[in-house]
Amino acid sequence: MDTSFKNLHVAILSSPGMGHLIPALVLANRLAAQHSVNVTVLLVTTAVSPPESKLLQIPLHRDLVRVVELPPVDISHLVVPTTQVVAQLCVMVREALPLIRSAIAAMDRRPDAVIADLFCTETAAIAAELGMAKYLYVPSTAWFTALTVYCQVLDREIEGQYVDQPEPLKIPGCKPVRPEDVVEPMLDRNELQHDEYVNLGKRYSLFDGILLNTWEDLEHETLQAFRENETLRSIIEIPVYPIGPLRRPVEPVDVKSDLLGWLDRQPNESVIFVSFGSGGVLSAEQITELAWGLELSQQRFVWVVRPPTKGSVDDAFFNLGTDFDGTPNYLPEGFIKRTQNKGLLIPMWGPQAQILSHQAIGGFMSHCGWNSTLESITSDVPIIAWPLYAEQRLNATFLAEEVGVALRPRVLPTKEVVRREEIESLVRRLMEHKEGQEMRDKVKKMKISAMEGLKNGGPSYKSMCELLSKIAVRKGNMNGLVG
Ligand SMILES: *[C@@H]1O[C@H](CO)[C@@H](O)[C@H](O)[C@H]1NC(C)=O
Ligand SMILES: *[C@@H]1O[C@H](CO)[C@@H](O)[C@H](O)[C@H]1NC(C)=O
Ligand SMILES: *[C@@H]1O[C@H](CO)[C@@H](O)[C@H](O)[C@H]1NC(C)=O
Ligand SMILES: *[C@@H]1O[C@H](CO)[C@@H](O)[C@H](O)[C@H]1NC(C)=O
C-alpha cells in the first residue's frame, strides 16, 4: 500500500472552542507528518471568543499545515443566555456555512476531501456540491459515536425521558448505555439541544466515512458492530476508521522542582495522582471526605486541589477563600501536617501529562475526560473514575466495564457524596491490591497496543492509509487518470 499521499490536500473543519480546535490540529499534524498530506484547517470563530489560534500551544507542521480563521459569526440574535452548548455550537456552525463554502471555493487548490468535526455535519452538503470527498472526525470513542447515531432510533422508540428508563438503552451490537450515563444533550428531551443532537447523528450517514480517535484493540466489538451488525448498518452504512489514539503533545512545562524531586524519591508506581481537570470542582463536603479517604488509605498521593464550589458549606473546617497561594485552608484541620510524608498538594493546576508519565505514579483519580483518559492509558496508569459531567459518565463506564482499567464509586459522585470509607477502599484496591495490579498490567497491554497501532504498518496507521487511498483513488478518477 502506498503510504505517502503528497498530492493530496485535505481541509479539516473545526467548530469553535479549544476543545474542538486542538483535536483538529493534532489530526492535521498526523496527516502531514505521517502521510505528507497538505492540510488546511478551517476554523469557525465567533464574535465573542477571541481568535483561537492566538492561544495555540500546539506546534504545527509548518510546511504542510495551515490554519485559516473564518470571519467571526455573530449568533447573539439567535440564542439566549440559557441556550445550551450543543445547540449554540450547531447554530454557530450553521451561521458559518456560507463562510466555509466561500473559503473553500476561493482556495487556489481545491481540497480533495473535507474532514469535518462532529458539530460540522451540515458541511456534507457543501462538500458534495464542490465535488470533494467528505469524512467526519469524532475525537472520541466508537461507543459514543454509536450512541449519537442510534439516538434517532431511541428518539422514535422510547417514550418519556431517557434518564427515567428502567432498562439500559440498547444499541445494536454495542454495550447498552445505562440511562444515568447518557450524554448531556440526552438528559432532557424537551431541550433544543436534544433535537440538534439527534439531527447531528442523522447527518453522519451523509459522509463517506467516520474517523474515530480510538483503536482496534480498545473497542474491537463496537467497531465490529459498525462493520457487521445489520441492524446498526440499516441506520449507518459508512466505513469507520479507528486512527487513534491521537493525543496532544506533552508540553514541556517548568515543573516546580520540588514536585519532580518529591516524585523521584517515591517508589515506582506507589503514588496516586488526584485531579479532576480544569473545570473540575468538588463540593466542600466532598473535599473533606476525599481528604479523609486519602489519609485513611495511607497511600502516597499528589492532589491538585481547588477551592470547593460555593453554596454548600457550613462547616467550621472550611473557609471559602478562593485566593490562596500557600496552604489551601479548606482542608480538614491537621490534614496537611498528618500527611506531610505521604502526600503533596498542588493548588489549582498541575502539568498532568508530565506527572502521569512519572514512574512513581501508579494510579489516577480522574474525571475521565477523553484527554485525561488517553494520557492515563498511554502512561500505563489505571484509574479511579470520578465523572463530574454527563459526557464523562460514558467514559467512566467504558473504562470500568469494557476495558477493565478503572474502578468507580458505587454511586455517581454527582448524585451523592462519596464517603471517606469508600474512597479509602477504592484507593487501596487500586494501589495495594492484586486487583489494582491486574489493572496496571492491563493498561500496559493497552498502551502497547495503542503504540503499535500508530506505528508504520500498525492497525491505526493502516486505517488512515486506507482512508487516504480512497481519497486518492477518487481524485484520480475525477481527473480521468484512473489509477
Ligand atoms: C483537552 O486538551 C485540550 C488541549 O489542552 C484542551 O484545550 C481541551 O479543553 C481538553 N478537553 C477536555 C475535555 O479537557
Ligand atoms: C446486531 O445487534 C442486535 C441487537 O443487539 C443483535 O441481536 C444481533 O445479533 C446483532 N447482529 C450481529 C450480526 O451481530
Ligand atoms: C523504576 O522505574 C524506572 C523507570 O521505568 C526503572 O528504570 C527502574 O528500574 C525502576 N525501579 C525499580 C526499583 O523497579
Ligand atoms: C469522554 O469525555 C469527553 C469529554 O471530556 C467527551 O468529549 C467524549 O465524548 C467522552 N467520550 C465518551 C465515550 O463518552
Side-chain angles (χ1 to χ4, degrees):
M1 199 187 305
D2 186 6
T3 56
S4 163
F5 297 90
K6 275 200 268 302
N7 297 321
L8 292 186
H9 177 204
V10 166
I12 297 180
L13 307 178
S14 166
S15 50
M18 294 298 277
H20 305 124
L21 177 57
I22 290 183
L25 295 177
V26 171
L27 175 64
N29 275 343
R30 171 92 185 158
L31 284 166
Q34 250 69 30
H35 304 280
S36 315
V37 173
N38 281 277
V39 186
T40 305
V41 179
L42 282 177
L43 172 61
V44 175
T45 67
T46 68
V48 283
S49 64
E52 308 267 5
S53 60
K54 303 235 162 54
L55 306 167
L56 288 186
Q57 322 96 331
I58 295 207
L60 292 179
H61 192 292
R62 280 292 165 203
D63 294 337
L64 295 176
V65 177
R66 65 189 187 118
V67 178
V68 176
E69 278 173 37
L70 297 169
V73 290
D74 179 6
I75 59 161
S76 54
H77 58 295
L78 297 169
V79 296
V80 291
T82 52
T83 308
Q84 289 163 311
V85 176
V86 168
Q88 288 209 25
L89 281 164
C90 291
V91 172
M92 287 169 189
V93 173
R94 200 165 293 140
E95 286 301 290
L97 288 173
L99 300 170
I100 295 172
R101 192 192 174 287
S102 49
I104 293 175
M107 282 180 196
D108 291 339
R109 192 177 153 203
R110 177 74 49 88
D112 304 299
V114 296
I115 301 179
D117 80 18
L118 73 171
F119 292 106
C120 292
T121 53
E122 285 179 65
T123 56
I126 297 176
E129 183 203 334
L130 297 177
M132 299 176 291
K134 44 194 187 317
Y135 291 87
L136 193 69
Y137 180 41
V138 183
S140 183
T141 58
W143 194 34
F144 166 74
T145 307
L147 177 64
T148 308
V149 167
Y150 207 65
C151 195
Q152 55 187 295
V153 179
L154 300 175
D155 186 38
R156 280 200 302 272
E157 293 182 349
I158 289 180
E159 307 249 338
Q161 296 287 2
Y162 306 117
V163 287
D164 298 332
Q165 297 306 307
E167 297 287 329
L169 310 171
K170 293 199 184 68
I171 309 177
C174 305
K175 185 180 157 58
V177 174
R178 275 199 297 263
E180 63 176 22
D181 285 348
V182 296
V183 294
E184 185 80 33
M186 290 175 72
L187 286 177
D188 185 350
R189 294 177 73 177
N190 301 318
E191 292 286 348
L192 175 63
Q193 70 171 1
H194 170 263
D195 299 345
E196 291 279 13
Y197 181 71
V198 169
N199 288 328
L200 284 179
K202 281 185 185 163
R203 285 191 294 265
Y204 280 19
S205 54
L206 301 175
F207 288 83
D208 300 326
I210 308 178
L211 290 75
L212 297 167
N213 195 9
T214 189
W215 64 102
E216 198 61 47
D217 277 359
L218 187 71
E219 289 201 273
H220 180 70
E221 254 175 71
T222 311
L223 291 165
Q224 233 12 46
F226 272 105
R227 294 178 192 125
E228 288 181 357
N229 189 291
E230 292 312 323
T231 320
L232 187 58
R233 290 181 62 78
S234 69
I235 309 295
I236 186 152
E237 235 187 328
I238 62 179
V240 288
Y241 300 92
I243 55 149
L246 302 186
R247 45 172 279 195
R248 58 188 159 154
V250 176
E251 297 147 23
V253 201
D254 287 333
V255 185
K256 281 211 196 91
S257 57
D258 47 347
L259 168 61
L260 278 190
W262 187 84
L263 283 173
D264 287 345
R265 291 193 298 279
Q266 311 307 316
N268 284 1
E269 300 179 345
S270 71
V271 180
I272 182 162
F273 177 49
V274 181
S275 174
F276 301 102
S278 44
V281 185
L282 306 178
S283 70
E285 193 184 6
Q286 185 64 81
I287 292 181
T288 314
E289 293 302 314
L290 180 52
W292 279 112
L294 286 172
E295 183 178 341
L296 291 169
S297 79
Q298 300 182 323
Q299 303 301 304
R300 298 179 175 84
F301 62 86
V302 170
W303 180 7
V304 177
V305 271
R306 290 158 173 274
T309 43
K310 294 200 168 73
S312 53
V313 183
D314 38 21
D315 192 317
F317 283 141
F318 299 102
N319 166 337
L320 270 186
T322 47
D323 53 328
F324 65 89
D325 40 31
T327 309
N329 51 9
Y330 44 78
L331 293 165
E333 209 178 321
F335 171 76
I336 291 175
K337 194 145 193 288
R338 290 192 303 274
T339 58
Q340 61 187 357
N341 297 322
K342 285 278 184 190
L344 206 65
L345 298 174
I346 312 177
M348 301 310 287
W349 184 85
Q352 172 166 305
Q354 281 200 329
I355 295 174
L356 280 173
S357 58
H358 195 283
Q359 76 257 16
I361 299 293
F364 183 20
M365 189 182 285
S366 167
H367 63 303
C368 292
W370 200 234
N371 277 344
S372 298
T373 301
L374 292 182
E375 279 168 6
S376 202
I377 292 179
T378 52
S379 308
D380 294 338
V381 177
I383 298 170
I384 292 175
W386 192 291
L388 294 176
Y389 302 105
E391 75 271 20
Q392 296 157 356
R393 287 181 211 146
L394 208 56
N395 288 343
T397 302
F398 174 70
L399 293 170
E401 294 169 21
E402 286 277 287
V403 195
V405 296
L407 298 172
R408 42 182 329 193
R410 278 176 290 111
V411 182
L412 277 176
T414 41
K415 286 202 174 150
E416 256 178 43
V417 172
V418 185
R419 295 294 159 195
R420 61 191 72 175
E421 297 77 15
E422 188 177 5
I423 296 170
E424 173 193 355
S425 140
L426 285 166
V427 173
R428 284 185 187 273
R429 281 165 64 199
L430 192 72
M431 302 305 293
E432 283 190 325
H433 293 185
K434 191 154 160 266
E435 192 182 4
Q437 192 50 49
E438 282 167 5
M439 289 188 179
R440 216 161 285 121
D441 294 342
K442 197 172 268 179
V443 103
K444 283 177 189 165
K445 285 204 191 113
M446 271 300 147
K447 179 207 173 149
I448 292 171
S449 81
M451 295 302 136
E452 292 293 318
L454 289 174
K455 279 193 197 147
N456 288 11
S460 291
Y461 181 87
K462 278 198 198 148
S463 191
M464 187 81 105
C465 288
E466 193 188 318
L467 165 82
L468 293 170
S469 301
K470 283 196 189 164
I471 300 175
V473 167
R474 184 177 182 282
K475 175 190 170 92
N477 289 343
M478 305 246 320
N479 294 343
L481 302 170
V482 183

